[in-house]
Amino acid sequence: MSNFVKLIMVFAGLLAVGSFGGAAVASAMHGKEVVTSPSATGQRIMPDHPAGRQASDGTSPEGATNTSSLGGKAPIDQDPPVFDLYVDHSVIVTPDSKNIQQVARFLKFSQEYLDRVGLRYRVRYLPWTRIMREAGDGRNTLVNALIRTKERETEYIWLKKIESMDYYLIGDAALSVEDLKPINILKGNIVASCEFNTAQCGMLQTMGFPVNRVIQISNLILEKDIHLFNRLRTQVFILHQDDLQAAQRLPVWREGPEKAILMRFPDLDIYLAASRASLSKEAAALLTSIAEPD
């Protein structure tokens, strides 16, 4: 059994222990979705419910919602609607228990809220780039753990604040405060990295980094940021507090130039949010009526 498969099994076990709706997590290989099935009432599916059990051959058990028959979208003829709750799958490919615990914590919070307000939903795990694509092209899309920014403010319904987290600019210890002033960033040659279409990219642009000096990577995992830095292709990158702790435990952290925390972005708000572009008029009205944004 490969380490990758073992890691997915560990993650699935943690989800089960965390009581995230009780629905079993199917295998996700090569970027495929992992789907859980909603109950008919919007309440949690308990482990002894037919839709809460995983068949031994990895297929959906009888009675569970199978999204392959829905074309990957929420059904358009159901009332009330079924929402797709998207979760970043990078935890599956980043072998660090701290990351798994963080995603589990965020997901548990969101599911408890959705269960409490009675929404019907399915959980799906995708790379962040594909989640953002679904936010624009999907149907009834919920995004778990989205940073609330000015740029995103009108594009989402901010359903429930999960928590606030500090983010840090990590970089070459030789860089000074003077080097990081916007005018000097613009005139200099510092190169940064971030995952495509994330708030971190926006934070770098706000600092003054021109687009041509920000390497945006699809499906970025923690080690990639550090490898780019170690190979002197970048000088700075941004991590949230949990990722920073995880990074410092990796062997690659001790390689390359000396790393230092250069700047702190305090108390960024992380939300469960719904993409307005993906919502029907009825779904938007429903979510607006139950949102608890503050």
Side-chain angles (χ1 to χ4, degrees):
M1 184 180 296
S2 68
N3 290 335
F4 181 70
V5 175
K6 287 180 180 177
L7 182 60
I8 295 175
M9 293 176 66
V10 170
F11 182 61
L14 279 171
L15 287 177
V17 171
S19 300
F20 306 143
V25 179
S27 297
M29 301 297 288
H30 307 298
K32 294 180 182 178
E33 293 125 328
V34 182
V35 182
T36 60
S37 304
S39 68
T41 63
Q43 301 305 311
R44 293 188 179 186
I45 302 173
M46 301 309 293
D48 58 347
H49 188 286
R53 294 196 295 268
Q54 179 64 37
S56 60
D57 61 357
T59 60
S60 296
E62 184 179 356
T65 302
N66 189 328
T67 57
S68 62
S69 64
L70 305 175
K73 306 297 181 187
I76 62 176
D77 57 348
Q78 287 202 25
D79 186 22
V82 176
F83 293 88
D84 287 325
L85 173 60
Y86 286 97
V87 181
D88 185 3
H89 88 154
S90 63
V91 64
I92 297 175
V93 294
T94 302
D96 188 275
S97 59
K98 186 80 172 181
N99 281 3
I100 293 175
Q101 291 167 13
Q102 181 208 70
V103 172
R105 185 176 79 247
F106 288 174
L107 180 57
K108 182 176 186 289
F109 183 96
S110 294
Q111 289 192 297
E112 286 177 346
Y113 164 77
L114 293 172
D115 290 342
R116 176 167 57 81
V117 298
L119 287 189
R120 304 175 70 230
Y121 62 93
R122 298 172 291 201
V123 178
R124 294 185 172 186
Y125 298 85
L126 289 177
W128 188 256
T129 301
R130 286 187 60 192
I131 291 176
M132 291 293 96
R133 190 184 309 151
E134 288 295 325
D137 301 334
R139 181 176 178 83
N140 293 340
T141 298
L142 307 179
V143 182
N144 196 57
L146 187 69
I147 297 176
R148 188 171 185 172
T149 66
K150 291 180 180 179
E151 293 77 16
R152 293 171 171 168
E153 186 64 32
T154 59
E155 297 177 359
Y156 291 86
I157 297 175
W158 303 94
L159 294 172
K160 184 69 175 177
K161 181 178 173 181
I162 298 175
E163 66 178 56
S164 296
M165 293 189 74
D166 291 345
Y167 281 69
Y168 297 92
L169 182 71
I170 310 300
D172 192 327
L175 292 173
S176 67
V177 174
E178 195 69 22
D179 293 326
L180 297 174
K181 289 184 176 180
I183 186 65
N184 293 328
I185 288 176
L186 191 61
K187 294 190 303 183
N189 56 7
I190 301 174
V191 178
S193 65
C194 61
E195 183 169 7
F196 181 72
N197 219 349
T198 60
Q200 287 90 321
C201 294
M203 292 156 69
L204 290 167
Q205 291 177 16
T206 300
M207 289 181 63
F209 280 91
V211 175
N212 64 350
R213 281 199 277 116
V214 177
I215 300 176
Q216 298 192 39
I217 306 170
S218 296
N219 307 333
L220 181 64
I221 62 174
L222 192 55
E223 288 89 338
K224 274 189 182 178
D225 257 335
I226 304 172
H227 280 308
L228 285 171
F229 179 87
N230 288 346
R231 294 167 185 167
L232 306 181
R233 290 190 59 194
T234 63
Q235 288 76 50
V236 295
F237 53 97
I238 294 176
L239 298 177
H240 61 67
Q241 59 196 42
D242 287 355
D243 266 352
L244 175 57
Q245 293 174 17
Q248 290 171 331
R249 292 192 292 270
L250 295 173
V252 293
W253 183 264
R254 295 183 288 276
E255 302 171 4
E258 182 182 355
K259 303 164 185 67
I261 296 174
L262 304 174
M263 189 178 295
R264 174 172 168 258
F265 304 90
D267 298 328
L268 298 184
D269 292 333
I270 299 173
Y271 274 78
L272 168 65
S275 168
R276 291 184 181 275
S278 73
L279 301 175
S280 65
K281 184 181 296 185
E282 294 77 13
L286 171 62
L287 293 181
T288 300
S289 70
I290 64 172
E292 301 173 6
D294 297 319

